[in-house]
Amino acid sequence: MIQLTGIAASDGIAIAKAYRFVQPDLTFAKTTVHDIEAEQQRLAAALAKAEQELVVIRQQTLEKFSAEEAAIFEAHLLVVHDPELIGPINQKIADEAVNAEYALHEVSSMFVALFEGMDDEYMSARASDIKDVTNRILAHLLGVHIPNPSNINEQVIIVANDLTPSETAQLDRNYVLGFITDIGGRTSHSAIMARSLEIPAVVGGVGGAATTTIQDGDTIIVDGLTGLVLVNPSADVIADYQEKAQKYRAQQAEWSTLVNEQTVSKDGVHVELAANIGSPNDLDGVVRHGAEGIGLYRTEFLYMGRENLPSEEEQFTAYKTVLEGMQGKPVVIRTLDIGGDKHLPYLPLQEEMNPFLGHRAIRLCLDQQELFRTQLRALLRASVYGNLKIMFPMIATIQEFCEAKAILLQEKEKLIAGGIAVGSSIEVGMMVEIPSTAVMADIFAKEVDFFSIGTNDLIQYTMAADRMNEKVSYLYQPYNPAILRLIQMVIKAAHQEQKWVGMCGEMAGDELAVPLLLGLGLDEFSMSATSILKTRALLKQLSVPEMQALATEALQLATAEEVLEKVKQAVK
C-alpha cells in the first residue's frame, strides 16, 4: 500500500478504482512512408474511431446536459467529415510521402491559423473545433487515449495533475466518487466545485506523486476529511475506511436534523448561512442542506465549456430558475468574473505577466461593455422572480463601482421604458477582495448596499502569495491578524452605515474561522452547501459575547499560529 498526503479539500470518504485524467503526449516525428495507400488507410481508421467516439459523446452530452452543449460535438463531427480538411491531408501524404501524423498537423495548423485570423466571431471559434478534433485523430494515430469526463460510465476516482473549472463542471457525481490532483488548494476552483458536487477531494501537497504513482484501475481511498490518499490498500484497511465512511454518514444524518432551523448562536443571535453555487443545477443541494439564501452565484460557469457567449435569453432563464427556486430567499449574483485562472476560448485575452492582477472581472466588463450590459439586462429581467442582489467583483476604486452601477441603472431605465418589468428593490453591492478596498471601506460603505468579503483573493493579495503556488502556500493564512484586521475594518465601516456584510470566500465555512467571524460581527456566512449544516451545528454552541472577546484578543496577536491556538483553546 502506498500512502500520499495532500490537502483535504472536500469532506467525505470515497473508495473506488482510479481513472487517470491525464492529457497524453501527442508528440511525433516526421517520417517518410513507402506505402502511401497504407498510410491513408491509417488516417481513415483514426477518423473512423474519432467519429465513433464523438457520436457517443454527443449522445451522452445530450442526455446529461442539453442540446446546446451537444451541438459542440455536432460541430466536431462536421470537422471529421470535412472534405476540405481531409482531402488536403490525404493529398499531402501522397505528394510528399510523409506519415499521417505530420500531414494532419501541417494541414490542420494552416486551417487553425486561417480561422483564428478572421474577424467574424463564429468563424474564429471554428479554430477551436479543428484543434480538438485533430488532437483526437492524432491520438488515435499514435495509439494513445484522450480522457473525457463524458466517457466515464462506472464509479471511479479521478486522478489528475489539475482539473479546470469546465472539466470539473462536467463530472457526473453518479460515476465520479471523488478526485485527487497534484496541485491546487482548498480555494482552487476544482476544490470549490468538488464541494458543490458533494464529492470528497484531496488536492495539492503530493508533489506530483498522484499522477506519477497511481495507475488506471488501482484501488484508491480518498479521505477528504484528513487529506490522506491510500493506493491499493489491504482488505482490512478498506474495511476500516468503510466503517469510517459510515460514521461520517451518521454524523451527516445528525446534522441534517437542523435543515429547517434558523441559524442562531448559543445566546440566540441570528446570522444568515447561505450557499455558494455555480449553476442552477446546484439548487437541489442548496435546498437539501437548508441554506437561508445564496450568497454567491458564480455566473462565469454559464460562460464556460462552450464555444460562444451565452445569450441574454439563456442567462435570463438561468437566473430566473435560481431566483424562483429560492422562493423569496436572498440570492446574491456576482457579475462575470473572468480572467486570472478562468479563460474563455471564444474570448481571447491578451497574454499578461500576472493575470491575477490584470485585465479581469469588473475591469474586463467595463472595457467590453456589450458583454456586461447583456448580463445586466438578463439579471434585471429576472429580478421580478425573486429576491435579487447584484454584486460586482474585483472593485478597486470608487469610480469603478459608480461606473458599473451607472451602467446597471441605464439598462434598468431602458427596460422600464420598453415596458419590461424590473424588481423594485434590488440591492447593489460589491466584493471586497483587494486590500485597498478594505482600507477604504468607510468610503465605499456610503455608496453600496452591502459588502461581500472574498477572502480567497483578499488573502493572496494581502500576503503577496499566489494561492496556487505550493512553494508559498505557507503564506496563505486566513487566520493571520492582518487578515482579521482588514475584515474587522470592513464590518465596522458597513455597520456604521447600517449596511450588512457577508463573506463568500472559503474562510466563511472554515470551522476554525467561524468563531472569529461571529465575534467580528459578520452578518452572512456563504459557503459550499455541504458545509452549512455542520456550521449551523457549530454556531449553536457559540456565545456572541465570548466570541467577541476571542476576536478582540486575536486581533492583538502576532501570528496566525497564535490565533489558531487561541481559537482551539476557546472552542473545544
Side-chain angles (χ1 to χ4, degrees), residues 199-211:
I199 57 176
V202 172
V203 303
V206 293
T211 52

Side-chain angles (χ1 to χ4, degrees), residues 38-52:
E39 198 63 16
Q40 290 174 333
Q41 286 175 353
R42 278 186 68 230
L43 175 64
L47 287 165
K49 288 178 182 176
E51 180 185 9
Q52 289 170 5

Side-chain angles (χ1 to χ4, degrees), residues 112-235:
V112 167
L114 177 67
F115 282 111
E116 283 182 337
M118 293 184 179
D119 291 334
D120 184 270
E121 184 180 318
Y122 175 83
M123 297 306 291
S124 62
R126 302 287 67 76
S128 177
D129 292 332
I130 295 170
K131 286 179 187 176
D132 285 351
V133 174
T134 52
N135 278 345
R136 184 178 297 279
I137 298 165
L138 182 56
H140 286 300
L141 285 169
L142 295 170
V144 297
H145 170 66
I146 292 184
N148 187 303
S150 301
N151 288 340
I152 299 172
N153 57 9
E154 61 178 332
Q155 292 190 330
V156 297
I157 291 170
I158 296 280
V159 179
N161 179 58
D162 193 17
L163 289 168
T164 66
S166 57
E167 286 169 344
T168 316
Q170 291 180 60
L171 301 181
D172 185 337
R173 66 182 177 192
N174 292 316
Y175 296 123
V176 178
L177 303 188
F179 66 74
I180 311 157
T181 61
D182 287 332
I183 65 174
R186 276 193 60 83
T187 59
S188 61
H189 290 286
S190 54
I192 292 167
M193 286 298 293
R195 291 191 285 277
S196 292
L197 289 166
E198 300 182 36
I199 57 176
V202 172
V203 303
V206 293
T211 52
T212 57
T213 304
I214 301 170
Q215 302 302 315
D216 274 321
D218 282 348
T219 298
I220 303 292
I221 297 174
V222 175
D223 187 340
L225 302 170
T226 65
L228 282 179
V229 175
L230 305 178
V231 186
N232 292 323
S234 67

Side-chain angles (χ1 to χ4, degrees), residues 162-443:
D162 193 17
L163 289 168
T164 66
S166 57
E167 286 169 344
T168 316
Q170 291 180 60
L171 301 181
D172 185 337
R173 66 182 177 192
N174 292 316
Y175 296 123
V176 178
L177 303 188
F179 66 74
I180 311 157
T181 61
D182 287 332
I183 65 174
R186 276 193 60 83
T187 59
S188 61
H189 290 286
S190 54
I192 292 167
M193 286 298 293
R195 291 191 285 277
S196 292
L197 289 166
E198 300 182 36
I199 57 176
V202 172
V203 303
V206 293
T211 52
T212 57
T213 304
I214 301 170
Q215 302 302 315
D216 274 321
D218 282 348
T219 298
I220 303 292
I221 297 174
V222 175
D223 187 340
L225 302 170
T226 65
L228 282 179
V229 175
L230 305 178
V231 186
N232 292 323
S234 67
D236 287 344
V237 172
I238 291 174
D240 288 344
Y241 269 88
Q242 286 172 334
E243 184 178 349
K244 189 176 179 180
Q246 188 173 353
K247 286 180 179 177
Y248 180 67
R249 287 192 292 271
Q251 175 69 79
Q252 287 179 304
E254 184 179 327
W255 290 331
S256 70
T257 61
L258 302 175
V259 69
N260 294 317
E261 291 191 18
Q262 272 204 329
T263 306
V264 291
S265 65
K266 185 178 180 180
D267 49 333
V269 176
H270 175 256
V271 294
E272 188 172 286
L273 284 193
N276 297 337
I277 68 169
S279 82
N281 295 332
D282 297 333
L283 274 177
D284 175 61
V286 172
V287 173
R288 272 191 296 110
H289 292 287
E292 295 167 280
I294 288 173
L296 171 63
Y297 178 178
R298 299 182 179 91
T299 58
E300 54 268 24
F301 289 106
L302 267 172
Y303 294 73
M304 293 177 172
R306 52 187 298 140
E307 295 189 322
N308 46 37
L309 287 166
S311 66
E312 180 181 327
E313 203 60 35
E314 231 179 310
Q315 294 187 61
F316 164 72
T317 301
Y319 307 146
K320 176 175 178 281
T321 299
V322 171
L323 287 163
E324 287 183 326
M326 291 307 292
Q327 299 181 344
K329 293 178 181 176
V331 175
V332 180
I333 299 184
R334 181 175 72 187
T335 58
L336 182 61
D337 186 2
I338 285 294
D341 61 346
K342 292 172 285 187
H343 303 284
L344 303 177
Y346 53 83
L347 190 67
L349 301 176
Q350 186 176 347
E351 287 291 322
E352 296 178 292
M353 290 291 288
N354 192 334
F356 279 99
L357 300 180
H359 193 223
R360 58 171 289 205
I362 199 65
R363 302 165 183 182
L364 173 67
C365 288
L366 292 176
D367 182 49
Q368 302 201 22
Q369 284 196 20
E370 192 46 50
L371 176 152
F372 189 38
R373 289 175 183 273
T374 299
Q375 180 175 39
L376 294 178
R377 285 194 300 271
L379 285 166
L380 289 164
R381 289 172 54 203
S383 64
V384 295
Y385 295 95
N387 184 1
L388 172 66
K389 303 177 191 300
I390 296 174
M391 174 166 71
F392 302 130
M394 198 74 183
I395 294 289
T397 68
I398 285 286
Q399 291 90 336
E400 282 180 331
F401 178 80
C402 291
E403 185 179 350
K405 187 172 179 180
I407 294 170
L408 173 68
L409 295 176
Q410 287 168 14
E411 294 304 320
K412 181 179 179 180
E413 288 173 9
K414 289 179 190 175
L415 288 172
I416 293 171
I420 297 172
V422 173
S424 58
S425 56
I426 304 168
E427 291 186 12
V428 181
M430 58 176 272
M431 297 275 287
V432 178
E433 47 197 333
I434 299 174
S436 62
T437 306
V439 172
M440 294 284 286
D442 58 326
I443 305 299

Side-chain angles (χ1 to χ4, degrees), residues 396-511:
T397 68
I398 285 286
Q399 291 90 336
E400 282 180 331
F401 178 80
C402 291
E403 185 179 350
K405 187 172 179 180
I407 294 170
L408 173 68
L409 295 176
Q410 287 168 14
E411 294 304 320
K412 181 179 179 180
E413 288 173 9
K414 289 179 190 175
L415 288 172
I416 293 171
I420 297 172
V422 173
S424 58
S425 56
I426 304 168
E427 291 186 12
V428 181
M430 58 176 272
M431 297 275 287
V432 178
E433 47 197 333
I434 299 174
S436 62
T437 306
V439 172
M440 294 284 286
D442 58 326
I443 305 299
F444 280 100
K446 300 179 191 303
E447 301 291 336
V448 305
D449 294 322
F450 66 92
F451 289 128
S452 185
I453 304 173
T455 51
N456 300 354
D457 275 342
L458 182 63
I459 295 166
Q460 75 168 347
Y461 293 146
T462 303
M463 305 301 291
D466 182 352
R467 58 188 164 112
M468 296 296 287
N469 186 333
E470 290 180 36
K471 291 184 178 179
V472 294
S473 60
Y474 71 96
L475 288 171
Y476 191 84
Q477 299 179 0
Y479 320 105
N480 189 290
I483 304 298
L484 299 180
R485 289 185 184 194
L486 288 174
I487 292 169
Q488 182 198 40
M489 289 174 72
V490 175
I491 295 172
K492 184 178 179 181
H495 288 178
Q496 284 177 341
E497 298 292 334
Q498 288 76 53
K499 309 291 174 65
W500 64 271
V501 183
M503 179 179 288
C504 57
E506 291 307 305
M507 188 176 174
D510 183 331
E511 61 186 335

